[in-house]
Amino acid sequence: MTERTADTATLTPPTVPALEHRAGRWIANWDAENPAQWESAGRGIARRNLNWSIFAEFLGFVVWQLWSIVVVQLPAAGFRFSTNEIFWLISMPSLVGATLRIPYTFMVPRFGGRNWTVVSALLLLVPSTGLAFCVANPGTPFGVMLLVAALAGFGGGNFASSMANISFFYPAREKGWALGLNAAGGNLGAAVAQLAVPVAVTLLAAGTINLPVAGLMWVPLILLAAFGAWKYMDNLTSAKGDVAGSLAAVREPHLWVMALLYIGTFGSFIGFAGVFPKLIKDYFPAFSSFGVGTVALSLAFLGPLVGSLARPYGGRMADRLGGARMTVAAFAAMAAITLTVVWTLPLKNFWLFLVLFLALFTASGFGNGATYRMIPVIFALHSRAARTGAGPAATQKLASSALGLISAIGAYGGFVIPQVLNAANTATGSYTPAFYGFVAAYVLMLAVCWACYLRPAGHGKGHV
């Protein structure tokens, strides 16, 4: 009994700062690294904020990917757009979403995590209702459609602010798992959108195609997310912006190396998620002519689903085997699978095509987790700040800034992949040259990762 009392006294010293709850759900004196504060109140508060953050980010990915599934139904709804225009509708949300990730990173320190989650959730009403109005009229000009598709980028920007916000709530020892759950929960939105929208636009419309439902069906959930964030989330006074840290991160060569690798992993995930329904429809038109329940619309969700589920396991395996090793393995697998896709296309076997693409999504998901795991290790051990004697706090701050910037740059892959496919099809009438280009890119990224972080003379010698 005496020993337990002594242990309790040790865990709760009088110097532990008491959390101060202020008006507007602001919390002062937050210190997730303090074990006593974390175990007494911090863990529960952090978990509550994480849950609502995941829900809001999930809806962000839903809205971000709506056009990828809607475009394949436009002809059936009376729209007559060219293939080039269709690819622009697919890729424009990724272009805008990737760009918005940069300013979104600084919104949490400026306005508060809870406040910005409310605002960013409500902003999703604009592209979702805008889509409903546009697709209701086949006479809507392409320029208007493209503008509304661009507004879906609001959903892509949410990732950066959501990840930045959650990083302030968790201690370093639990940050990786919390951020992994936050990212995976958001990524699942792409899969759910591609699963739910085809069902909703047909079943809820009594067997016909009613595309406005694709946008309107998410409005109640968006309002629920905004209300939940307002009611249950918190702002932290300790969440400070770090523009100087971002500028310092930009000057680090490792940031640009890792951004290239993340374009290959996450960029492939989000890029192929956007074009997968279109590829199935174009390669297997017999499967996409049945209307309700078409393969293109009923199975396309499996790609982003398996990619999302693979992401946290990629991070966990990187913890055990090394992030660089896992990333090299992911690129090797992606190159081999993509080559196999091209070589087996003459067989015209849909199920083989589906299985190979699911394997490609899985490899990209593992790569996502592995590259994200590499970033804090690299900046802690091999950045200029680390080499000049900066302490752990400084290098961790630098790594945090780098994570936001790398996530933004990597998301541009969602724009590049559809546009490369479109360019190849326009020039040659086939997507095959684009796939060979992707193989070459994966081999190049594999070589860069090996040369920088795995070769015997490299920095990490396999430990990154």
Side-chain angles (χ1 to χ4, degrees):
M1 184 70 177
T2 305
E3 182 179 352
R4 181 173 297 179
T5 303
D7 289 344
T8 303
T10 302
L11 290 174
T12 56
T15 56
V16 174
L19 293 178
E20 180 183 343
H21 296 268
R22 300 175 181 175
R25 295 193 68 90
W26 285 91
I27 297 179
N29 299 327
W30 181 268
D31 183 7
E33 300 296 342
N34 186 295
Q37 186 190 96
W38 177 251
E39 295 299 335
S40 62
R43 184 186 298 276
I45 294 173
R47 186 181 295 117
R48 170 163 40 81
N49 279 269
L50 174 62
N51 291 340
W52 283 101
S53 175
I54 290 174
F55 184 46
E57 189 196 337
F58 164 84
L59 292 172
F61 266 82
V62 165
V63 171
W64 199 21
Q65 290 299 300
L66 280 182
W67 285 90
S68 70
I69 196 69
V70 166
V71 294
V72 298
Q73 289 280 32
L74 290 178
F79 290 86
R80 297 294 178 262
F81 292 138
S82 67
T83 298
N84 181 60
E85 290 171 330
I86 290 294
F87 271 107
W88 272 102
L89 291 176
I90 292 173
S91 60
M92 184 56 72
S94 291
L95 176 63
V96 175
T99 304
L100 285 178
R101 285 188 173 191
I102 298 173
Y104 267 50
T105 301
F106 303 102
M107 294 296 107
V108 170
R110 177 67 179 85
F111 299 103
R114 171 251 195 181
N115 296 346
W116 182 249
T117 303
V118 173
V119 171
S120 61
L122 291 176
L123 284 174
L124 299 178
L125 294 173
V126 178
S128 57
T129 56
L131 181 148
F133 283 115
C134 283
V135 299
N137 179 13
T140 303
F142 173 72
V144 175
M145 298 279 281
L146 189 63
L147 174 61
V148 174
L151 294 176
F154 285 146
N158 279 10
F159 178 87
S161 57
S162 179
M163 295 290 275
N165 183 42
I166 293 305
S167 70
F168 290 118
F169 276 94
Y170 278 82
R173 63 186 180 278
E174 298 187 31
K175 201 184 296 285
W177 181 244
L179 292 177
L181 289 175
N182 200 49
N187 290 173
L188 282 173
V192 171
Q194 293 187 353
L195 171 65
V197 168
V199 175
V201 300
T202 54
L203 295 184
L204 297 182
T208 63
I209 294 177
N210 188 354
L211 285 185
V213 174
L216 297 177
M217 62 185 287
W218 305 106
V219 170
L221 293 178
I222 292 171
L223 293 174
L224 175 61
F227 173 78
W230 174 79
K231 181 73 173 178
Y232 299 109
M233 291 186 72
D234 302 286
N235 304 304
L236 300 180
T237 60
S238 58
K240 302 297 183 183
D242 188 20
V243 176
S246 296
L247 294 176
V250 167
R251 293 191 292 269
E252 284 282 352
H254 288 290
L255 179 139
W256 300 104
V257 174
M258 293 308 301
L260 174 67
L261 301 183
Y262 201 59
I263 288 175
T265 56
F266 178 76
S268 293
F269 167 81
I270 200 66
F272 283 125
V275 300
F276 196 32
K278 173 70 173 165
L279 291 176
I280 295 177
K281 183 177 181 181
D282 289 350
Y283 276 124
F284 304 96
F287 284 89
S288 58
S289 60
F290 304 146
V292 179
T294 66
V295 170
L297 301 184
S298 62
L299 295 181
F301 82 97
L302 290 173
L305 175 65
V306 298
S308 300
L309 295 178
R311 179 168 184 154
Y313 291 100
R316 181 166 291 180
M317 290 184 68
D319 286 336
R320 297 177 58 188
L321 304 176
R325 286 196 182 99
M326 280 297 303
T327 301
V328 165
F331 281 129
M334 292 166 71
I337 294 166
T338 305
L339 272 178
T340 307
V341 168
V342 175
W343 292 342
T344 57
L345 280 174
L347 300 177
K348 298 186 183 300
N349 186 316
F350 168 75
W351 300 107
L352 178 60
F353 179 85
L354 178 65
V355 169
L356 288 173
F357 250 94
L358 294 186
L360 181 59
F361 274 106
T362 301
S364 72
F366 273 100
N368 287 343
T371 51
Y372 231 62
R373 183 266 185 189
M374 289 171 66
I375 296 168
V377 178
I378 288 170
F379 277 80
L381 299 178
H382 308 304
S383 63
R384 288 175 180 172
R387 293 197 302 271
T388 56
T395 56
Q396 183 179 355
K397 199 173 184 180
L398 189 65
S400 178
S401 299
L403 284 168
L405 293 171
I406 290 169
S407 75
I409 298 170
Y412 281 109
F415 173 79
V416 171
I417 283 182
Q419 288 301 314
V420 170
L421 287 165
N422 181 38
N425 186 58
T426 301
T428 68
S430 170
Y431 296 130
T432 298
F435 283 115
Y436 280 123
F438 298 146
V439 172
Y442 296 147
V443 172
L444 172 63
M445 294 170 185
L446 182 157
V448 168
C449 185
W450 177 86
C452 292
Y453 305 117
L454 275 182
R455 66 186 173 91
H459 292 296
K461 297 184 179 181
H463 297 296
V464 174

